[in-house]
């Protein structure tokens, strides 16, 4: 259900942006989806297909671009791709990437 709220807010963001640019239709929407985000791409696609009755979205395609997890050590500032690779500072980890779901780009006509 969580994906439904996210998907409809992304879709309205895309529609607003397309209308602002005077688009007649949206051809493609590319979403950045973090490997660490709790969002399931199949669910987003499922809800997207149910929200597609908007005239601008009728022939729109949805694409996902995965964003790998990025962790940073708050002590030494180094970045890592996984907990296993991390330095020996033992200062915990900040997530600096890989937990997002955002619109990267869209093609309009
Ligand atoms: Zn460190």
């Amino acid at each position: 259900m969580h994906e439904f709220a996210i998907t409809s807010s992304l879709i309205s963001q895309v529609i607003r942006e397309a209308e602002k640019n005077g688009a007649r239709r949206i051809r493609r929407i590319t979403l950045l989806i973090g490997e660490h985000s709790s969002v399931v791409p199949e669910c987003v696609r499922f809800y997207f297909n149910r929200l597609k009755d908007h005239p601008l979205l009728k022939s729109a395609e949805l694409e996902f671009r995965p964003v790998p997890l990025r962790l940073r050590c708050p002590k030494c500032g180094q970045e890592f791709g996984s907990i296993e690779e991390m330095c020996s500072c033992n200062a915990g980890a900040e997530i600096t990437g890989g937990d997002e779901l955002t619109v990267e780009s869209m093609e309009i006509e």
Side-chain angles (χ1 to χ4, degrees):
M1 210 46 215
H2 154 80
E3 276 87 358
F4 179 74
I6 295 170
T7 309
S8 50
S9 98
L10 283 174
I11 296 305
S12 40
Q13 183 191 331
V14 160
I15 290 173
R16 255 201 321 273
E17 196 59 36
E19 282 173 343
K20 214 161 65 186
N21 288 289
R24 280 181 298 120
R25 68 186 187 101
I26 298 168
R27 278 163 50 167
R28 189 190 309 273
I29 302 164
T30 307
L31 298 179
L32 289 177
I33 186 159
E35 285 174 355
H36 187 67
S37 78
S38 56
V39 175
V40 182
E42 288 71 38
C43 293
V44 175
R45 190 179 296 282
F46 173 77
Y47 290 123
F48 173 76
N49 287 331
R50 295 179 58 179
L51 291 164
K52 260 177 98 168
D53 53 356
H54 191 285
L56 280 172
L57 286 174
K58 283 221 160 64
S59 53
E61 279 177 50
L62 192 63
E63 278 188 3
F64 294 100
R65 213 160 65 79
V67 181
L69 179 64
R70 293 304 299 167
L71 299 168
R72 188 173 55 204
C73 169
K75 196 168 170 191
C76 71
Q78 287 191 76
E79 293 213 333
F80 307 89
S82 73
I83 293 277
E84 292 74 39
E85 290 171 21
M86 283 197 74
C87 53
S88 52
C89 297
N90 235 334
E94 291 167 359
I95 295 172
T96 57
D99 61 345
E100 60 272 86
L101 177 69
T102 49
V103 179
E104 185 192 32
S105 62
M106 64 171 169
E107 281 175 37
I108 54 172
E109 269 185 14

